[in-house]
Amino acid sequence: MGEVDPAFIQHPEHRPKLSVPKAEGIPLIDLSPLNSSDNISDPKAIGGVVREIGNACKEWGFFQVINHGVLLDKRKKIEDAARKFFAQPLEEKRKITRDEKSLFGYYDTEHTKNVRDWKEVFDFAVEDPMLMPASLDPEDKEETKWTNQWPEYPQELRVASEEYTEEVEKLALKLMGLIALSLGVPADRFNSYFKDQTSFIRLNYYPPCPSPQLALGVGRHKDSGALTVLAQDEVGGLEVKRKRDGEWIQVKPTPNAYIINVGDIIQVWSNDRYESVEHRVLVNSERGRFSIPYFVNPAHYTLVKPLEELTHEQEDPAKYKPYSWGKFLSHRKLSNFKKHNAENIQLYHFRVSE
């Protein structure tokens, strides 16, 4: 591929600067105080971690964690299987293409902000089958089941994915507990929302790009779910928009760390104490990049609204109108199949006007 198809080309103001500062600033948080047991009930041991997480969520919306308890061999197995899957010819991968009927599987024509992303993805649900609304109609209470589809090759992808999911799910729930504590609510405050979770994992492959100054692996966006737990390889390319000055800062890969970011749902639950931050992915001309985000999402029937404990009618009224998570997610997922002239559904559509 010597030329880049115009569908991938970013508008000049959104094209990447290829020499941006690497962020030493994104907080690196050591979770080893939690590893003595699975629970997070000892307030003294974890007080420091809770404070660090609260500060990172406020200042950056992003942080990295080390000594997180995820078994590295499980991560390596899913990474190896993902590399084998993406190395296949296109016609093999397209046998399990996701479409409007089956929303999990392979896909290579995703758009962000109506510009095509320079990437290939494979998605699978954490809970299979995954309960979702049957339609976008707000009055329709019917449910449907979205199911995973797995490739014939590599055979080990399914088992590697399921074993990895178990590991990273423990970390995700631990982090949700720490974030709850940092907001001053009980550690289990969010647990009930995840009974029929709509969380999913994505395997991303960003092939080498002949014109990395024109395209992006993923265009600028915020994550619409609760939390994202990202494993990335050593190639790097993730950029975060720094809150204090709007500069794009590149996140330097830390071996075996996870990159965590707050999504729109935590922004709403926290009533804007924590903010979902824009990020994007650069590509390069020499090396492909792999990453594995786990998108932590509540049950589809969750009505997303600020937590009552964090709002006060006079002093701190709710900044968002309640919205149905399942309808929002369906709208987002289905919109991937067409390039719209209008903007996709966004969090700010639910903001209460001041």
Side-chain angles (χ1 to χ4, degrees):
M1 288 175 82
E3 293 293 312
V4 169
D5 182 309
F8 291 102
I9 294 178
Q10 295 284 330
H11 188 274
E13 67 173 300
H14 298 305
R15 286 179 195 165
K17 288 196 203 100
L18 296 184
S19 57
V20 294
K22 285 251 194 328
E24 300 303 332
I26 286 192
L28 186 68
I29 299 175
D30 183 350
L31 297 185
S32 51
L34 276 70
N35 293 342
S36 49
S37 73
D38 267 346
N39 63 32
I40 50 174
S41 55
D42 177 6
K44 279 203 286 292
I46 60 163
V49 176
V50 169
R51 275 192 302 279
E52 283 183 78
I53 283 179
N55 289 337
C57 289
K58 267 198 214 71
E59 302 299 316
W60 281 91
F62 267 81
F63 55 96
Q64 301 190 65
V65 293
I66 52 169
N67 297 320
H68 41 65
V70 173
L71 295 173
L72 288 177
D73 69 314
K74 304 288 187 200
R75 176 164 160 177
K76 186 171 181 334
K77 277 180 186 158
I78 191 173
E79 284 173 354
D80 291 348
R83 285 172 194 272
K84 283 187 191 171
F85 172 74
F86 287 117
Q88 294 181 100
L90 202 51
E91 63 269 21
E92 284 302 311
K93 292 181 279 195
R94 284 190 169 156
K95 285 179 183 170
I96 52 162
T97 294
R98 67 180 211 216
D99 56 33
E100 292 177 52
K101 303 255 180 324
S102 181
L103 283 133
F104 294 113
Y106 175 77
Y107 201 55
D108 62 353
T109 52
E110 190 150 272
H111 290 76
T112 303
K113 304 268 193 276
N114 288 328
V115 181
R116 190 169 160 193
D117 294 328
W118 190 270
K119 69 172 180 187
E120 300 175 33
V121 308
F122 174 79
D123 288 346
F124 61 93
V126 166
E127 297 210 352
D128 184 23
M130 184 172 110
L131 283 180
M132 282 294 289
S135 79
L136 296 176
D137 177 357
E139 302 308 309
D140 185 0
K141 298 288 181 264
E142 282 288 302
E143 288 184 325
T144 186
K145 288 177 175 170
W146 292 6
T147 52
N148 288 336
Q149 42 177 350
W150 297 98
E152 283 174 29
Y153 177 87
Q155 233 178 340
E156 66 269 26
L157 180 62
R158 181 174 188 164
V159 172
S161 297
E162 288 167 352
E163 288 183 356
Y164 176 75
T165 299
E166 268 179 51
E167 283 294 307
V168 83
E169 186 172 20
K170 284 185 253 177
L171 172 61
L173 291 173
K174 223 181 259 187
L175 290 165
M176 289 302 298
L178 292 165
I179 287 169
L181 290 170
S182 76
L183 287 165
V185 298
D188 63 359
R189 178 63 178 88
F190 299 124
N191 291 12
S192 61
Y193 296 119
F194 294 95
K195 183 176 157 284
D196 295 309
Q197 62 181 327
T198 55
S199 304
F200 68 99
I201 289 184
R202 167 166 289 177
L203 308 178
N204 280 319
Y205 172 51
Y206 303 95
C209 176
S211 301
Q213 74 285 5
L214 296 178
L216 286 168
V218 187
R220 71 196 197 288
H221 67 288
K222 298 180 177 190
D223 290 348
S224 56
L227 196 70
T228 304
V229 179
L230 174 78
Q232 64 165 355
D233 67 10
E234 73 289 353
V235 175
L238 175 67
E239 286 192 341
V240 174
K241 197 170 194 178
R242 190 161 54 194
K243 277 174 73 172
R244 63 180 157 85
D245 56 8
E247 276 294 306
W248 286 105
I249 302 289
Q250 206 171 124
V251 180
K252 200 168 151 224
T254 301
N256 305 327
Y258 279 89
I259 297 168
I260 314 298
N261 65 282
V262 165
D264 289 349
I265 291 177
I266 285 182
Q267 180 169 327
V268 174
W269 281 340
S270 74
N271 207 31
D272 278 359
R273 283 168 178 77
Y274 298 162
E275 194 184 328
S276 175
V277 168
E278 267 195 323
H279 50 289
R280 65 186 187 182
V281 174
L282 271 56
V283 285
N284 70 72
S285 53
E286 276 91 52
R287 297 182 71 186
R289 173 182 181 260
F290 289 86
S291 72
I292 309 174
Y294 179 137
F295 297 102
V296 183
N297 296 332
H300 81 82
Y301 45 76
T302 304
L303 202 59
V304 180
K305 59 182 186 195
L307 298 182
E308 282 171 26
E309 307 94 305
L310 300 181
T311 56
H312 183 284
E313 219 171 313
Q314 273 83 40
E315 286 152 39
D316 196 0
K319 295 182 167 72
Y320 298 91
K321 297 178 278 222
Y323 63 93
S324 156
W325 166 246
K327 304 286 182 186
F328 185 99
L329 180 60
S330 295
H331 197 292
R332 276 285 180 91
K333 286 276 191 192
L334 292 167
S335 76
N336 283 329
F337 295 100
K338 11 188 147 22
K339 180 169 171 171
H340 296 272
N341 293 325
E343 183 182 37
N344 202 340
I345 188 167
Q346 300 290 345
L347 178 62
Y348 71 78
H349 296 147
F350 301 99
R351 190 177 270 287
V352 174
S353 46
E354 311 253 323

